[in-house]
Amino acid sequence: MTAFHDALLLAERNLRRLPRNPDLLVGVTFQPIMFVVLFTYVFGGAIVTPGYDYIDFFLPGIVIQMIAFTGYATSLGISDDLRKGLIDRFRSLPIARSAVIAGRTFSDIAMNVIALTTMLIVGFIVGFSFNANAAEIVAGLALVLFFGYAMSWVYAFIGLISSTPESASALITVIIFPLTFVSSVYVPTQSMPKVLEAIANANPITTIVDALRALWLGAPAGTDIWVGLLWCVGITAVFSVLATARYRRTVAR
């Protein structure tokens, strides 16, 4: 319980710094608004989504994409803390070592709630509507937040292996961008060339987006929901171990 309490305190510290970092607030509020409006009105009319209006097809995808990127602040924050020696300062305090990384991932949950709320409000304004009962809507929200928490551990690991915030940002661009764009976020994977279609169908982002469409739009679910949950569990398990091991190596130097 002490480690959990310490993690909550550090998460509170991270969130209190938000008002002094307007760039982060813009990233989780204005950017989702821009993406939803631009893709709905600029590209929506040119993309065929059989069985759905484009905003209904698109919103679950853009929700997952934005949540996949929201944790980038964790990478930049951890890398910056390492460079400035703040992690060494934490080591001198009577707090659990694991709380430093866990606190970052906990604060990402609040960031994800802000981004998710913003996207849903804008989505409703431009015409999105659920085709689901209350339980399915809540299950979809839980899946989104679980996926966001899993991605926070990926970003924590990237932050720990990066020498500077700039290199962390470059790694995020190289790793996360292809994952979100070669997927079913923007277009049905059937519209892609065969090789890209196969890659997109194997992409966990596609599975989780399709699971969210099944929960919110009544699309055929197949195994997407359970496989999507397994991806979230697997990403959390693998990257929490990698990030914790890397953190121990870093602070032991």
Side-chain angles (χ1 to χ4, degrees):
M1 288 299 293
T2 299
F4 183 70
H5 179 261
D6 292 344
L8 289 179
L9 287 177
L10 289 173
E12 182 182 355
R13 163 194 172 268
N14 297 331
L15 292 174
R16 283 186 175 182
R17 296 173 66 188
L18 271 181
R20 296 195 293 274
N21 292 277
D23 291 350
L24 295 179
L25 286 176
V26 169
V28 297
T29 54
F30 180 74
Q31 191 170 323
I33 295 172
M34 182 183 67
F35 267 85
V36 172
V37 172
L38 279 180
F39 273 88
T40 301
Y41 292 114
V42 177
F43 300 108
I47 299 175
V48 178
T49 51
Y52 303 100
D53 291 335
Y54 186 68
I55 181 58
D56 291 335
F57 175 88
F58 170 65
L59 194 81
I62 196 64
V63 162
I64 293 299
Q65 188 199 46
M66 289 305 303
I67 293 298
F69 276 104
T70 301
Y72 78 96
T74 288
S75 281
L76 304 188
I78 289 175
S79 181
D80 196 42
D81 286 348
L82 284 170
R83 188 176 60 169
K84 292 179 176 177
L86 189 61
I87 299 295
D88 292 331
R89 171 61 177 155
F90 286 145
R91 291 176 59 198
S92 68
L93 299 175
I95 60 175
R97 288 189 175 186
S98 60
V100 176
I101 305 301
R104 283 282 180 184
T105 62
F106 287 172
S107 59
D108 279 353
I109 295 174
M111 300 274 285
N112 288 333
V113 169
I114 294 172
L116 177 57
T117 303
T118 303
M119 280 184 285
L120 287 178
I121 290 173
V122 178
F124 290 140
I125 293 173
V126 299
F128 174 76
S129 59
F130 290 114
N131 181 21
N133 57 40
E136 291 167 333
I137 293 171
V138 171
L141 296 173
L143 176 65
V144 172
L145 294 179
F146 188 14
F147 172 67
Y149 185 71
M151 289 302 296
S152 293
W153 285 104
V154 176
Y155 284 111
F157 180 66
I158 292 175
L160 286 164
I161 64 174
S162 303
S163 55
T164 64
E166 290 77 13
S167 62
S169 180
L171 268 178
I172 290 167
T173 302
V174 170
I175 297 171
I176 307 298
F177 258 98
L179 274 176
T180 56
F181 277 85
V182 186
S183 71
S184 65
V185 166
Y186 297 105
V187 298
T189 58
Q190 297 88 338
S191 66
M192 301 177 183
K194 290 300 179 185
V195 173
L196 272 185
E197 181 185 352
I199 295 172
N201 287 335
N203 184 344
I205 298 288
T206 294
T207 303
I208 294 167
V209 169
D210 290 347
L212 192 58
R213 288 189 180 121
L215 288 168
W216 283 358
L217 303 179
T223 58
D224 288 333
I225 296 174
W226 295 111
V227 175
L229 285 172
L230 287 175
W231 270 115
C232 293
V233 171
I235 292 170
T236 303
V238 170
F239 281 92
S240 63
V241 170
L242 290 175
T244 302
R246 179 70 186 189
Y247 177 72
R248 286 175 177 164
R249 283 179 55 192
T250 300
V251 300
R253 292 173 182 169

